[in-house]
Amino acid sequence: KTQSGNWVSPYINNFTPNVFLPVGKDITSEYNFIHEEYFNDKLCKKFFNELEIGTPVEFDYIRQIILKRYISSSGEVDIDDDVLVNDINYLLSYFINNRNKGDELISLLNNKLLLVSKANYLCQPSDLFISNRYLQCLYNNDKSLFVNDKFYVDIIDKFGYEQFLLFIKLLGVKET
């Protein structure tokens, strides 16, 4: 049974999975994620392991689910704060654990992913600066121009400020 309530076969064919274990806290995306009442049950988990049901391939999940949230024909994107944090958490984790694919990931994310400014606006990374006193004075403390570090505090605590800083700079956030 999927999160949407549909009963589906675990595999489309012998090699292609039709259902997946949820990725992090994402149980609502377009993937056929197993309903939480089943993936939280120990016997069901054992059964899923025997069927070799797992999470989606990470890079496919990024392309097909995460990035779709940031693309809108109207130009308006409305994403829940928890989803924004979970997305950056997932992406930074992928970046750290797959350094050999870092350039490919950054290329994929460029001009698509949005970050939260200190004014709580969603912005292209290339439109934002890393906050420092000189730039704040130069731009009259315009909060819409600086990355909101406080919004990402849990991510910074988990991965460290240096990793977070490296990641957002590669996405296009400016230092000066």
Side-chain angles (χ1 to χ4, degrees):
K1 184 176 179 182
T2 66
Q3 286 295 340
S4 61
N6 298 323
W7 291 94
V8 298
S9 170
Y11 286 89
I12 295 170
N13 58 40
N14 289 340
F15 306 105
T16 309
N18 191 31
V19 292
F20 300 92
L21 295 176
V23 175
K25 295 179 182 179
D26 185 356
I27 57 173
T28 60
S29 71
E30 296 170 24
Y31 271 96
N32 279 331
F33 287 131
I34 293 171
H35 196 281
E36 63 187 317
E37 81 181 84
Y38 297 107
F39 74 77
N40 286 327
D41 182 273
K42 286 182 183 181
L43 287 175
C44 289
K45 277 186 181 180
K46 182 180 178 198
F47 177 65
F48 299 142
N49 284 334
E50 290 171 3
L51 287 175
E52 297 181 1
I53 294 174
T55 57
V57 174
E58 292 175 305
F59 203 76
D60 290 340
Y61 179 77
I62 291 168
R63 278 186 304 123
Q64 296 174 17
I65 301 301
I66 292 179
L67 286 183
K68 280 187 179 179
R69 293 183 185 127
Y70 298 86
I71 299 169
S72 168
S73 58
S74 70
E76 292 291 318
V77 177
D78 185 26
I79 305 171
D80 185 67
D81 287 356
D82 290 338
V83 173
L84 290 166
V85 171
N86 288 337
D87 286 350
I88 296 296
N89 182 60
Y90 188 87
L91 294 167
L92 183 52
S93 177
Y94 180 86
F95 177 77
I96 291 168
N97 294 322
N98 298 277
R99 292 285 183 171
N100 59 329
K101 297 181 181 177
D103 291 341
E104 185 180 6
L105 176 66
I106 297 301
S107 175
L108 178 69
L109 299 177
N110 273 340
N111 300 317
K112 295 178 187 94
L113 188 68
L114 301 172
L115 296 175
V116 178
S117 73
K118 287 190 175 197
N120 291 319
Y121 299 137
L122 288 175
C123 302
Q124 291 285 331
S126 59
D127 294 336
L128 294 172
F129 291 95
I130 295 165
S131 188
N132 67 49
R133 288 185 183 165
Y134 171 74
L135 289 175
Q136 288 174 339
C137 289
L138 183 66
Y139 291 108
N140 295 320
N141 206 22
D142 183 348
K143 294 179 189 280
S144 67
L145 297 175
F146 299 97
V147 173
N148 186 347
D149 295 3
K150 290 180 182 174
F151 184 84
Y152 299 107
V153 70
D154 290 340
I155 293 168
I156 292 168
D157 288 346
K158 180 177 179 179
F159 296 105
Y161 186 70
E162 293 303 316
Q163 289 288 342
F164 176 74
L165 196 61
L166 171 65
F167 185 63
I168 65 172
K169 287 192 317 192
L170 289 171
L171 290 173
V173 175
K174 300 176 287 283
E175 284 187 280
T176 56

